[in-house]
Amino acid sequence: MYLVFIGPPGSGKGTQAKRLAERLGFVHLSTGDILREAVKEGTPLGLEAKKYIEEGKLVPDEVVIGIVKERLGAPDCEKGVIFDGFPRTLAQAEALDRILDELGRQLERVVEIEVSEDEVLRRLTGRRTCRNCGAMYHVIFEPPKVEGVCDKCGGPLYQREDDKEEVIRERLRVYRKDTEPLVSYYERKGILVKVEGEGPIEEVRQRLLEAIGVRR
Ligand code: AMP
């Protein structure tokens, strides 16, 4: 089963995609995570991606398409994949169709997670991420037990450069311009489902499971 989660930054798609992939035994394919890891490691890919990420802009299509193509060729992707943060442009969506076609597979469903811009700003400006393991917290809604310290691994928490308000506004602008058109692209293909993304994480999770037709 191949699923795509689409939603603005801060819609919770990363959190939900990660949990759902664990539950279903699928690969969670987040291009944002792969790019951030490359930045952290200082690889050539990371050096190229850094400036785009920090400014809230999109990394060039050919770079992300290359990453996804390579990742999808691995055997662990055969059972299922949840794409999180990819595709983000029409060119990426068309490339994904071609790559899956070559592999003899197809997208089963695309889930759009709907969240208002006010809620996105509230969530992202308060978000803190563990520098060590990537776990996420929120200063008000989900604070760590000890301020600035990850509950899971004891690593230091930081605010992602692209979670600063100015950059969030740019990411939202890019989302509306480049990514939102994908909703009608997948609607035309008849595989789009919309899910209300506001409310407690657990409730949104139940809605998602229903939307993709998985029994609780
Ligand atoms: P995310 O964690 O999905 O919000 O991604 C963080 C940043 O990584 C984005 O703001 C982009 O700069 C970059 N990025 C992640 N996925 C893509 C993609 N599919 N296309 C272009 N840039 C991406």
Side-chain angles (χ1 to χ4, degrees), residues 143-175:
K145 293 195 185 80
V146 179
E147 196 186 323
V149 180
C150 179
D151 291 350
K152 299 193 177 91
C153 76
L157 303 185
Y158 78 114
Q159 182 176 37
R160 269 167 53 175
E161 206 49 51
D162 60 345
D163 279 345
K164 308 225 158 117
E165 186 162 342
E166 246 177 76
V167 185
I168 294 169
R169 291 200 185 275
E170 174 63 12
R171 289 165 69 200
L172 280 168
R173 198 189 61 75
V174 169
Y175 178 76

Side-chain angles (χ1 to χ4, degrees), residues 2-45:
Y2 288 73
L3 302 167
V4 167
F5 281 13
I6 293 187
S11 58
K13 62 185 184 327
T15 305
Q16 297 289 355
K18 188 160 184 273
R19 292 186 188 191
L20 196 62
E22 270 164 22
R23 153 147 186 204
L24 300 173
F26 292 176
V27 167
H28 168 221
L29 205 167
S30 157
T31 41
D33 282 354
I34 295 172
L35 291 168
R36 270 187 295 281
E37 187 59 29
V39 171
K40 199 166 112 188
E41 302 280 316
T43 63
L45 169 66

Side-chain angles (χ1 to χ4, degrees), residues 63-191:
V63 175
V64 263
I65 291 168
I67 294 174
V68 170
K69 189 164 186 188
E70 192 186 323
R71 184 67 188 89
L72 279 182
D76 61 342
C77 288
E78 272 165 27
K79 182 170 174 205
V81 174
I82 301 182
F83 296 94
D84 159 18
F86 180 92
R88 255 177 158 100
T89 63
L90 213 47
Q92 291 179 19
E94 287 166 357
L96 180 60
D97 286 345
R98 280 196 303 275
I99 296 167
L100 289 178
D101 210 37
E102 279 166 22
L103 294 167
R105 301 171 199 157
Q106 59 183 30
L107 282 181
E108 181 115 353
R109 222 156 277 188
V110 175
V111 184
E112 183 197 11
I113 305 183
E114 298 180 299
V115 175
S116 72
E117 293 208 355
D118 282 350
E119 175 69 8
V120 162
L121 280 168
R122 221 180 359 235
R123 287 183 184 181
L124 291 187
T125 50
R127 179 158 84 174
R128 298 294 179 271
T129 306
C130 174
R131 212 176 265 291
N132 189 35
C133 75
M136 284 186 289
Y137 299 86
H138 189 282
V139 288
I140 298 163
F141 309 131
E142 210 186 339
K145 293 195 185 80
V146 179
E147 196 186 323
V149 180
C150 179
D151 291 350
K152 299 193 177 91
C153 76
L157 303 185
Y158 78 114
Q159 182 176 37
R160 269 167 53 175
E161 206 49 51
D162 60 345
D163 279 345
K164 308 225 158 117
E165 186 162 342
E166 246 177 76
V167 185
I168 294 169
R169 291 200 185 275
E170 174 63 12
R171 289 165 69 200
L172 280 168
R173 198 189 61 75
V174 169
Y175 178 76
R176 281 193 300 267
K177 176 171 148 288
D178 294 322
T179 308
E180 235 166 32
L182 296 187
V183 170
S184 37
Y185 176 81
Y186 288 122
E187 224 158 19
R188 281 196 299 276
K189 288 180 178 280
I191 54 173

